[in-house]
Structures are given as structure tokens and as C-alpha cells.
Amino acid sequence: MASNPVTAMKASLVSCHDCHLVSKVSRSHSNASMVCSRCGATLHQRKPNSISRTWALVLAAYVLYIPANVLPITTVISLGKEQSDTIMSGVMYFIATGMWPIAAIIFIASVFVPLVKLLILSFLLITVQRKSHWRPRERTQLYRIVEVVGRWSMLDIYVVTILVALVKLGALATIDAGPGAVYFAAVVVTTIFAAESFDPRLIWDAMEKNHAGTKPGNSSSS
Ligand SMILES: [Zn+2]
């Protein structure tokens, strides 16, 4: 790593989030009211309120994660008999019937990955808040993983897998998505928004302030 890299922030430049035009930050209105001269979008050197916004979404996702796993994700009515399954009871069903690869896929996609994503985001938030210098490169990679996994988490497919396979259906069965499915979708969406709100440049800001030591006090809050 270069010991003292030039960043846009240090050079008083800011990139437009929408059209990526680079503009010069004038000292007079350092933060609040800058707009892009080309497309008119509001300019920010860092995503505004990134930490508190991401925390709010992460905590919301933790809360939603509980009903997503406790409430039934499918309700099957077959010959007047009603059966509800949570994600875990579905996983247990597949293990019991020897279809453990499907059980593993559902467990990893629906229980393990969503929780790991939330834990990684919490970890990144805590280290940024503590201005940690610990392995910034690896932490940035962690963030990238969360972002990529979020974009590719095809939850529909796994839910449909549960729906279809759990029932092995007699034609007389009706399947409804249980309330757990709604919470489950909410966890996935909330986590994607949380990852989007987090600004990974904050990881590096702590490093640079240490190296340079030239930043005036008033910029520490930006
Ligand atoms: Zn623009």
C-alpha cells in the first residue's frame, strides 16, 4: 500500500454518484449544498449518514430474521389436513428423507448466508466506528463479498424448491406461503439496502488520517 495516497477527498474533489463527473469542492460550502454542474445531483464526498443508516437497517434485519425462522414458511393443506413448516423443519424433513444436498442448499442459502452477511456488516460498522487500522484490505474484500452475494441471492428458487418438494403433491393439496416467507424476503431486501448504505471508503479514511496527519479538525466529521 502506498504510504500516503492522494484521494479525491484530500484533493478537494468529489465524484457525482449519478453521472460520475468529478467536481472541485469549494471551501465555502464544503458539505451540504453542492450539486453536480452537469446532472444536478447532490454531491457527497461520502454517503451521508452512512454508519447510522446502515446500523438501522442491519438491526432491522436482525429483528426480522427471528420471525423469518420461527414462523412457518409454507402451509400445506392436503385432504383437509394442515401442515406448516418453518425453514428449519423443512431442512429437517429433507435430512430425514435422505435428501441432504437439498437440505444443505436450503440451510446455507436461507439460514447461514443471511446471518453471516449481517454479522459481516456489523463487524465492518464496529471497526469503522472504532477507526480500526486492522487489515483494511481484507475488510474491503469482506464488504465486496456481502455486496456480490446480495446481488445474486436467488431466494425465490430456494423457496420454490421447498414448496414443491415438501409436498410431493397429491393433486388435492394446496400450498400457501406462510408468514415466515414475508419476513424472510424482508430480511434479504433489508440486508441488500444495508450493504448499499455502507460506504467502504470509511474503512480507508481512518488509515489516511493516521498517515497524513494534515487534516484540519473541522473535516473529521465529514
Ligand atoms: Zn452528475
Side-chain angles (χ1 to χ4, degrees), residues 16 18-21 36 38-41:
C16 174
D18 295 340
C19 74
H20 294 278
L21 178 73
C36 175
R38 186 160 67 178
C39 75

Side-chain angles (χ1 to χ4, degrees), residues 14-25 30-37 39-46 48:
V14 58
S15 161
C16 174
H17 289 301
D18 295 340
C19 74
H20 294 278
L21 178 73
V22 175
S23 311
K24 191 99 183 148
V25 183
S30 55
N31 260 322
S33 54
M34 293 243 337
V35 290
C36 175
S37 60
C39 75
T42 311
L43 295 175
H44 310 285
Q45 286 186 314
R46 296 292 178 264

Side-chain angles (χ1 to χ4, degrees), residues 51 123-134 139 202-210 219-222:
I51 292 178
F123 169 73
L124 292 175
L125 284 165
I126 290 167
T127 53
V128 163
Q129 278 181 316
R130 300 187 60 179
K131 307 208 186 308
S132 166
H133 291 186
W134 183 81
R139 280 188 285 146
L202 295 171
I203 296 172
W204 296 94
D205 283 350
M207 314 295 295
E208 265 144 44
K209 261 156 209 162
N210 188 50
S219 70
S220 64
S221 62
S222 65

Side-chain angles (χ1 to χ4, degrees), residues 106-178:
I106 294 173
F107 179 78
I108 290 168
S110 308
V111 180
F112 183 71
V113 168
L115 188 59
V116 166
K117 279 164 69 181
L118 288 175
L119 291 174
I120 290 176
L121 283 173
S122 310
F123 169 73
L124 292 175
L125 284 165
I126 290 167
T127 53
V128 163
Q129 278 181 316
R130 300 187 60 179
K131 307 208 186 308
S132 166
H133 291 186
W134 183 81
R135 300 192 175 199
R137 207 188 168 103
E138 284 77 1
R139 280 188 285 146
T140 311
Q141 282 164 350
L142 276 179
Y143 174 73
R144 211 172 298 146
I145 290 169
V146 170
E147 232 196 349
V148 168
V149 168
R151 214 172 291 157
W152 289 97
S153 63
M154 294 176 278
L155 75 133
D156 313 327
I157 291 172
Y158 301 115
V159 173
V160 169
T161 314
I162 303 175
L163 280 170
V164 173
L166 262 188
V167 192
K168 302 250 209 113
L169 52 199
L172 296 173
T174 53
I175 317 161
D176 287 317

